[in-house]
Amino acid sequence: MKKKIALILTAMLTVSLAGCGGGNDKSSESKKDDTGKKAVSNVKSPDNDMVIAVQTDATHLDPHVSSNGNSNLVTNSMYETLLAFDENLEIQPLLAESWEMSEDGLSYTFKLREGVKFHDGEPFNAEAVVANWQRGKEDESLRLASSIKSWVNVTADSEYEVTITLDEPNNTFINKVTQVRMVSPKAIKEKGSDGLAKESAGTGPFKLADRVDGGYTKVVPNEDYWGEKSTLDSLTFQVVPEDGARIAMLQTGEADIIYPVPPIQVEKVENDKSVEVVNLNGLTYRYVTLNQNYKLDDGRQPLKDVKVRQAMNYAFDSKAYCEVVFQGYAKEPTSLFSEAVPYYSEQTPYSLDLEKAKSLMKEAGYEDGFPIDLWVDNTTLEMQGAEFVKQQLAEINIEVNVLPMESTTIADMTSAPENETEVEMWYVNWSPGSYDADGCMRSILHTEKFPPAGYNTAFYSNAEFDAALDKALVTTDEKEITESYAKAQEIAWEECPWMFLGCDNAIIGQKAYVTGVKYLPGGSLIVTNAGLNH
């Protein structure tokens, strides 16, 4: 194995690259051949072992335990879903060959692909789908439980036909099915999460070979894969938090793909003829959660006051953040999620207004500010962003203590329930794997998604907001759906459960000899047909 091991990537939507605030176009329009890729030298890989270098580690290899982007990148190479998005964001059959919806919208019947086996040799069939649903029903601590909560019944109609019945119509159901990964029923019963961390039991094109927590995850081709088999000898996801180290690995060939490319390094990488830079408008939304239960030593709870939360947003210069932290490869936020997501509704930005911010702090009784901790992943770009937040909030006397930690540590700590959590503020980002408005809001803002059920670490609860989201799910009238999602965005935007920071592009670097890798919006990539020209 030539390289040291590798991990995640994120990719996003349209190829036109918009700078912060709509100006400063930094899209890479280097010479392109007729394939749409930059013209590069005819380089070859020295071996057949692909390495993807990424910032942070997967939090768990059981696909039913964790659902964050880094974990999904790794587990998607080993586990598959009934349906999946392709690179054009169109839903395609995967483990299911076709599906039909009942007239009342409550039942979906899937015809399953025959001849598919899990890594442990067990057959994939309708009973396997039932077993995965039962696992989520019986163990509410799993992230899977949230994904299948609305499934009231799953019936094996025959060996290769299964029907999923919902508690009520849900117009995002098909999108959400793309997030439920199938695990061998035998492995569920005999291995559990601990065993799945050591031995994969999916149907995917790769099988787990080796893993070092915080270091790397190595997978090898599944010789019994039902589809076109990978030509690689191995695929390794290597954790490389430091930006400069990832750049160096790409340039030397120690890594074949890196994500992210630091915005400040884009021009440098573009000048390397052995490297291709992929710049895509992103779905990644950056924000700081504001735990409204946070208490000062004197018992006061500043983040419960909407005036304080609004002041924090007025004190933050999003345009400068886009330029300084992301070199213009980001946009000022104008709602709770990217404008590329369906049902986006534009809001009036919280443009920098220090006088208004100070006035709001004074009205709320916090003119002298207060101290508060900010958790952040210990990667270069994340820490730069957190330090920018710290500097901005100092202008209204909020004393921020930036606490960098390993991503896996933060994942554990932010999953604590409301009465146990220690989070005060969390510098974080979110992109919807299901590519829908509900996926952009429910898991991180709905009352039912307080940890550990979801990621609402602001512990934000608004009945009107919840009702708007819930109504949008069950209605089939397009106008009502649009109005409900717009109302939800308006409510939360006004109440500021977060500091709204920005929406940044995905900037990915890959060697010119990489073949077959497909990039999707929101932090996904398809490695099924990944290869190296060697």
Side-chain angles (χ1 to χ4, degrees):
M1 182 173 85
K2 81 179 174 205
K3 315 152 185 166
K4 299 172 183 167
I5 335 282
L7 188 71
I8 156 175
L9 143 76
T10 321
M12 316 294 181
L13 215 48
T14 58
V15 181
S16 60
L17 200 64
C20 175
N24 190 17
D25 184 1
K26 296 200 175 191
S27 60
S28 172
E29 294 298 337
S30 306
K31 288 184 181 178
K32 294 186 178 182
D33 59 23
D34 58 6
T35 66
K37 291 187 177 180
K38 186 173 70 174
V40 295
S41 59
N42 186 26
V43 292
K44 302 270 189 182
S45 172
D47 61 24
N48 199 32
D49 299 296
M50 180 175 284
V51 168
I52 302 176
V54 294
Q55 279 187 320
T56 54
D57 197 6
T59 57
H60 207 289
L61 294 190
D62 180 347
H64 293 166
V65 171
S66 179
S67 62
N68 66 11
N70 294 0
S71 300
N72 289 347
L73 173 66
V74 179
T75 57
N76 282 350
S77 69
M78 297 177 278
Y79 295 88
E80 295 178 312
T81 53
L82 297 181
L83 309 174
F85 286 98
D86 64 15
E87 67 272 28
N88 299 314
L89 293 187
E90 295 180 357
I91 293 178
Q92 302 291 345
L94 193 58
L95 291 177
E97 293 184 328
S98 62
W99 67 95
E100 292 182 356
M101 182 183 74
S102 62
E103 289 187 7
D104 59 9
L106 291 175
S107 297
Y108 290 77
T109 299
F110 296 86
K111 181 180 179 183
L112 306 180
R113 192 177 299 277
E114 299 183 22
V116 177
K117 290 185 178 181
F118 290 100
H119 296 165
D120 60 4
E122 292 294 299
F124 168 74
N125 52 29
E127 291 295 344
V129 179
V130 173
N132 278 258
W133 166 67
Q134 288 175 333
R135 186 188 190 200
K137 277 196 66 177
E138 294 169 1
D139 188 348
E140 293 186 356
S141 70
L142 298 173
R143 294 294 182 189
L144 172 66
S146 176
S147 299
I148 56 91
K149 185 176 181 180
S150 64
W151 302 13
V152 295
N153 195 28
V154 179
T155 305
D157 304 321
S158 66
E159 186 173 7
Y160 293 106
E161 185 174 285
V162 64
T163 296
I164 298 174
T165 303
L166 308 180
D167 54 1
E168 58 185 356
N170 184 325
N171 56 45
T172 68
F173 170 73
I174 289 298
N175 291 53
K176 296 294 194 293
V177 166
T178 67
Q179 305 302 298
V180 180
R181 294 153 184 86
M182 293 292 132
V183 178
S184 163
K186 181 179 179 181
I188 290 173
K189 183 178 180 180
E190 298 181 1
K191 297 183 183 298
S193 290
D194 290 342
L196 290 171
K198 301 181 179 103
E199 186 175 359
S200 62
T203 62
F206 293 91
K207 302 169 66 172
L208 181 63
D210 190 21
R211 173 171 167 83
V212 173
D213 287 348
Y216 65 86
T217 302
K218 179 180 178 181
V219 297
V220 295
N222 173 14
E223 295 180 357
D224 296 319
Y225 185 56
W226 59 268
E228 183 179 349
K229 297 177 178 60
S230 172
T231 60
L232 295 173
D233 290 338
S234 68
L235 169 62
T236 302
F237 302 93
Q238 183 171 338
V239 183
V240 186
E242 208 279 312
D243 288 344
R246 287 196 310 279
I247 292 290
M249 290 177 68
L250 181 65
Q251 291 180 317
T252 62
E254 191 175 357
D256 303 300
I257 298 173
I258 67 168
Y259 177 80
V261 174
I264 199 170
Q265 300 274 17
V266 170
E267 290 186 14
K268 177 181 179 181
V269 175
E270 283 181 331
N271 291 329
D272 186 335
K273 291 185 178 181
S274 71
V275 171
E276 294 174 350
V277 176
V278 182
N279 291 338
L280 301 171
N281 262 358
L283 298 182
T284 301
Y285 191 95
R286 295 187 181 269
Y287 59 101
V288 172
T289 62
L290 307 174
N291 181 0
Q292 297 182 30
N293 298 323
Y294 167 58
K295 283 187 180 181
L296 301 174
D297 290 341
D298 61 10
R300 292 184 299 162
Q301 295 177 284
L303 299 184
K304 274 198 178 297
D305 195 321
V306 67
K307 291 181 180 179
V308 172
R309 302 195 304 272
Q310 289 177 340
M312 295 169 77
N313 276 285
Y314 279 118
F316 186 78
D317 191 342
S318 294
K319 290 184 178 179
Y321 172 79
C322 292
E323 291 293 341
V324 173
V325 179
F326 293 97
Q327 303 295 299
Y329 290 101
K331 287 184 177 181
E332 180 183 14
T334 51
S335 190
L336 307 179
F337 49 84
S338 166
E339 62 189 27
V341 177
Y343 303 112
Y344 157 86
S345 178
E346 184 175 2
Q347 310 297 313
T348 302
Y350 283 92
S351 300
L352 178 65
D353 189 337
L354 273 178
E355 291 307 311
K356 187 167 187 174
K358 290 177 181 178
S359 175
L360 286 167
M361 290 290 283
K362 185 175 182 178
E363 289 176 25
Y366 293 96
E367 184 177 12
D368 295 331
F370 51 86
I372 193 165
D373 290 343
L374 173 59
W375 293 355
V376 61
D377 285 358
N378 62 344
T379 62
T380 308
L381 187 63
E382 302 298 296
M383 289 191 293
Q384 286 175 349
E387 288 294 335
F388 190 92
V389 171
K390 174 180 179 177
Q391 293 166 9
Q392 298 279 286
L393 293 183
E395 295 293 325
I396 54 173
N397 299 317
I398 295 178
E399 182 183 345
V400 176
N401 178 32
V402 176
L403 296 176
M405 289 179 270
E406 294 286 342
S407 61
T408 49
T409 301
I410 290 184
D412 287 340
M413 294 175 70
T414 53
S415 66
E418 184 178 16
N419 63 339
E420 297 178 15
T421 189
E422 297 178 5
V423 67
E424 297 171 9
M425 296 200 305
W426 180 22
Y427 181 98
V428 66
N429 64 78
W430 182 265
S431 58
S434 54
Y435 308 118
D436 61 80
D438 187 80
C440 290
M441 294 184 281
R442 181 173 299 274
S443 289
I444 46 183
L445 286 173
H446 197 284
T447 303
E448 292 181 355
K449 297 302 181 180
F450 286 6
Y455 296 93
N456 184 358
T457 53
F459 296 96
Y460 172 70
S461 179
N462 180 294
E464 193 177 6
F465 172 86
D466 293 347
L469 277 191
D470 295 343
K471 180 180 179 182
L473 268 190
V474 300
T475 185
T476 57
D477 183 86
E478 187 68 21
K479 183 180 178 182
E480 289 186 13
I481 294 173
T482 300
E483 290 174 349
S484 294
Y485 282 136
K487 183 178 182 180
Q489 291 169 74
E490 181 182 358
I491 292 169
W493 188 257
E494 177 70 20
E495 294 210 321
C496 298
W498 311 327
M499 285 181 66
F500 310 111
L501 307 184
C503 190
D504 61 289
N505 299 323
I507 310 176
I508 304 143
Q510 68 175 34
K511 281 297 191 180
Y513 48 66
V514 170
T515 64
V517 177
K518 297 176 182 179
Y519 301 108
L520 280 69
S524 300
L525 96 124
I526 302 172
V527 296
T528 304
N529 302 121
L532 294 169
N533 186 8
H534 67 290

